[in-house]
Amino acid sequence: MPDAKTLAVDLPNIDPALFGVPALERLQTTASPHAPRILLLYGSVRERSYSRLLSEEAARLLQAMGCDTRTFDPRGLPLPDDTPDTHPKVQELRVLAQWAEGMVWTSPERHGAMTGIMKVQIDWIPLAQGAVRPTQGKTLALMQVSGGSQSFNAVNQLRVLGRWMRMLTIPNQSSVAKAFLEFDEAGRMKPSAYYDRVVDVMEELVKFTLLTRGVSPYLVDRYSERRESAEALSKRVNQRTL
């Protein structure tokens, strides 16, 4: 196969030094020494929060599949822009976002949409912190609970946000209808087709995380950003020589 510079000869808008041909060998990953790290976010602070109960059930499944899980408690998280990002709850969330290799977002559906509590958490996770992008290239699974009939409004909105956060959102998802019927008094999810779907989603999340976590920097390496970085470096170097 011709190299990238040869292929770029007939592409006048391309910088041959930054153009790359995707290489299969760069997508080969080796076993990581640690368990997959998964952060779980849920979108309700009610005492009996079904999104929290579903998130806890997901965490149990992930742990049984060999994952290291952390769950963020949204209570006390301020509104974005209402307080500096040095707030302890904001810092806690951001540290967890950097730690994670994958995430699970679980929201109730309220007025046909995700809850404000869910959105506030996502809004506090920045697209970039200096040279670090806390979510880019990380895997994401989406779930929702509904008080009535089954709906997919919340997970569809979350999928848009996951794409915007540059995450690798898995194809499968879970929507639990009439969630108040699906959990027992102890807060455990009852056997059902809904429960089986949650197992499916967590299994798929772990597979995608194992497959991509070692190569995610390469998966999300983009020509436009390499070019922008090269131009920024050139500008800094030229400024120093003035």
Side-chain angles (χ1 to χ4, degrees):
M1 177 183 291
D3 62 25
K5 292 184 179 180
T6 301
L7 290 171
V9 167
D10 294 328
L11 300 171
N13 295 330
I14 289 290
D15 183 341
L18 300 175
F19 185 73
V21 177
L24 180 61
E25 62 270 16
R26 295 196 62 183
L27 294 171
Q28 307 301 316
T29 184
T30 57
S32 178
H34 63 266
R37 299 192 294 249
I38 307 296
L39 171 63
L40 297 100
L41 307 180
Y42 58 89
S44 170
V45 295
R46 295 173 58 186
E47 183 177 353
R48 185 170 171 84
S49 163
Y50 294 108
S51 63
R52 175 177 57 79
L53 295 179
L54 183 58
S55 184
E56 290 173 351
E57 204 68 46
R60 294 185 189 98
L61 289 165
L62 290 168
Q63 291 162 13
M65 295 176 191
C67 295
D68 184 3
T69 69
R70 300 285 187 275
T71 297
F72 178 73
D73 182 348
R75 289 177 297 181
L77 184 68
L79 292 172
D81 305 323
D82 192 45
T83 191
D85 61 13
T86 53
H87 188 283
K89 289 295 291 188
V90 175
Q91 288 301 304
E92 177 189 353
L93 175 59
R94 291 186 172 187
V95 168
L96 288 171
Q98 290 190 18
W99 166 86
E101 295 169 324
M103 296 189 194
V104 179
W105 295 350
T106 305
S107 178
E109 181 173 318
R110 185 171 295 167
H111 300 313
M114 78 182 80
T115 61
I117 294 167
M118 191 78 239
K119 185 64 162 56
V120 163
Q121 294 174 82
I122 297 168
D123 284 348
W124 270 121
I125 302 174
L127 285 173
Q129 286 181 280
V132 177
R133 286 177 171 156
T135 55
Q136 178 167 262
K138 298 181 180 183
T139 53
L140 173 64
L142 306 173
M143 300 194 295
Q144 75 167 73
V145 293
S146 301
S149 59
Q150 191 174 45
S151 169
F152 297 91
N153 289 326
V155 288
N156 287 340
Q157 291 176 330
L158 291 169
R159 192 168 291 277
V160 171
L161 287 174
R163 184 168 67 247
W164 190 260
M165 301 297 281
R166 298 182 172 184
M167 303 184 77
L168 305 175
T169 310
I170 67 170
N172 213 341
Q173 60 190 26
S174 172
S175 174
V176 179
K178 297 182 180 179
F180 60 92
L181 297 176
E182 299 302 322
F183 295 86
D184 63 23
E185 290 301 316
R188 297 301 304 270
M189 194 170 185
K190 300 174 185 177
S192 69
Y194 291 132
Y195 178 83
D196 292 347
R197 185 61 172 263
V198 174
V199 179
D200 290 347
V201 173
M202 293 307 108
E203 186 178 60
E204 189 171 292
L205 174 65
V206 175
K207 290 176 181 177
F208 271 74
T209 304
L210 291 171
L211 184 66
T212 62
R213 64 176 176 166
V215 294
S216 60
Y218 180 61
L219 285 173
V220 296
D221 182 43
R222 299 174 177 88
Y223 170 79
S224 61
E225 294 177 356
R226 292 195 299 273
R227 181 169 182 175
E228 181 181 20
S229 297
E231 290 175 351
L233 176 61
S234 175
K235 184 177 181 180
R236 287 197 302 272
V237 171
N238 290 335
Q239 283 178 337
R240 291 172 183 169
T241 60
L242 293 177

